[in-house]
Amino acid sequence: MSALGLDLGGTSVRAAVLDPVSGAILASAKEQHADRSPEAVVAACVRVAQAAVAAAGCALPGSAAIGVAGQCAGHSGLVVNAPNLGWRMVPLAERLGRALGLRVRVLNDLSAAAIGEHRFGAARGVEDAVLFFAGSGVGAGLLVGGRLAEGGAGFAGEVGHVKVIPRPTTPERRCGCGQLGCLEAYTGGHALTARAREALAAGRMQGLAAAVGGDAALVIPSRIEQAAAAGDADAASLWEEAGELLGDAAANLVTVLNPARLVLGGGVLLGCPLLFARVEARLRDRASASAGQSLAVVRAALGDDAGVVGAALAGAGG
Ligand SMILES: [Zn+2]
């Protein structure tokens, strides 16, 4: 019996058919969003789901799940806020379920990734693990006592929205969630890129400016890291702050939840080894000594597959 999972991000949606016993992806399909309206995205979800099922040579299962980069009220199937899609209060489970003719469960993308990494990846074999991911956004997936912890309404693990800056800054850096002082608004990939571009516009980050030939559109987090490593003091300062803020947030999760394993991942952390090392060193220094003592810190193992694998397991009731 195969399982169907979808992973919906700000720029694309992917569907995969999974063998839930072996963890093998039997087939998958992906589409970039030309249009982020709920109607267009649901239609794209239907196309990739049907394409993956057809490629796997199986029938649509009776249920599926979709991981969404945003705040999801799990039991109601509502996407409350997905800033990268520009969505507020979209009843995704109902719309997608009706369009596909099956039961659909909606969960946060990192909760889905946590299920995937727990069953087949870097969190395998432990009952208590925390996924801490920094990509275009920042988030966490929490496994407590062998189960996914989604909180009372599905919003647990939203570490990107913990407040790390106590007072308004200039510019104020309002988060996609609408609030001020959020970790993600200072350290998410979109935020780091925006901050580096501001520095270029103000005549700073000269090393980075030279590396991109003055073209701010070419700035991505790994280029900021390269400039920091090559001696650009402004880039190094941004990287130092990002390492501190991300490391402190991960340390605080470790202090509160005492996981056996902390899984670090996401495109920014995995694509920037210097930042990864700083975050790891910082969190080891700042987690409580008692919780830090027994902690193993590991890299995410399933890469981009974690979300669809976990969603497929969740959709099959796993
Ligand atoms: Zn926020």
Side-chain angles (χ1 to χ4, degrees):
M1 190 66 193
S2 50
L4 174 64
L6 292 95
D7 187 20
L8 174 58
T11 58
S12 64
V13 59
R14 185 171 171 226
V17 175
L18 182 82
D19 176 339
V21 177
S22 70
I25 290 178
L26 304 175
S28 73
K30 184 173 178 174
E31 256 192 46
Q32 305 286 327
H33 307 313
D35 174 354
R36 294 191 175 96
S37 68
E39 296 71 25
V41 170
V42 166
C45 289
V46 170
R47 285 193 297 272
V48 292
Q50 290 175 339
V53 164
C58 61
L60 269 176
S63 61
I66 180 165
V68 182
Q71 299 179 10
C72 304
H75 299 299
S76 66
L78 193 65
V79 178
V80 173
N81 184 7
N84 294 334
L85 287 161
W87 286 10
R88 299 249 172 179
M89 306 304 274
V90 174
L92 182 62
E94 183 200 321
R95 288 197 188 183
L96 185 56
R98 199 179 332 119
L100 279 171
L102 45 79
R103 272 193 321 282
V104 172
R105 175 178 168 191
V106 171
L107 70 172
N108 173 264
D109 59 344
L110 288 182
S111 290
I115 294 171
E117 291 282 354
H118 188 224
R119 184 77 63 88
F120 296 115
R124 200 170 183 172
V126 295
E127 297 279 286
D128 293 274
V130 169
L131 264 74
F132 182 86
F133 277 36
S136 45
V138 178
L142 313 176
L143 292 156
V144 177
R147 296 176 63 89
L148 180 69
E150 291 186 281
F155 304 124
E158 291 283 352
V159 73
H161 308 288
V162 297
K163 304 302 177 279
V164 295
I165 306 289
R167 290 177 207 93
T169 55
T170 306
E172 69 176 8
R173 304 199 191 286
R174 189 167 294 275
C175 183
C177 76
Q179 293 186 306
L180 291 172
C182 292
L183 177 66
E184 180 171 298
Y186 290 80
T187 64
H190 286 316
L192 292 169
T193 301
R195 295 177 69 185
R197 287 175 179 160
E198 285 166 21
L200 293 188
R204 292 182 284 111
M205 288 203 192
Q206 289 300 312
L208 177 64
V212 297
D215 185 353
L218 298 179
V219 173
I220 52 173
S222 60
R223 284 187 185 266
I224 307 171
E225 165 146 322
Q226 288 159 10
D232 181 325
D234 297 322
S237 165
L238 178 59
W239 237 229
E240 189 176 351
E241 186 203 284
E244 289 171 354
L245 291 175
L246 290 167
D248 282 357
N252 292 342
L253 284 175
V254 169
T255 299
V256 170
L257 292 166
N258 182 208
R261 212 172 284 169
L262 176 69
V263 180
L264 296 180
V268 171
L269 275 183
L270 296 182
C272 300
L274 178 62
L275 184 62
F276 187 103
R278 285 189 176 191
V279 169
E280 181 174 3
R282 178 77 173 186
L283 78 90
R284 288 218 170 266
D285 186 45
R286 304 274 278 184
S288 72
S290 45
Q293 206 166 27
S294 54
L295 178 73
V297 180
V298 298
R299 292 170 68 89
L302 299 184
D304 285 343
D305 291 343
V308 280
V309 168
L313 293 168

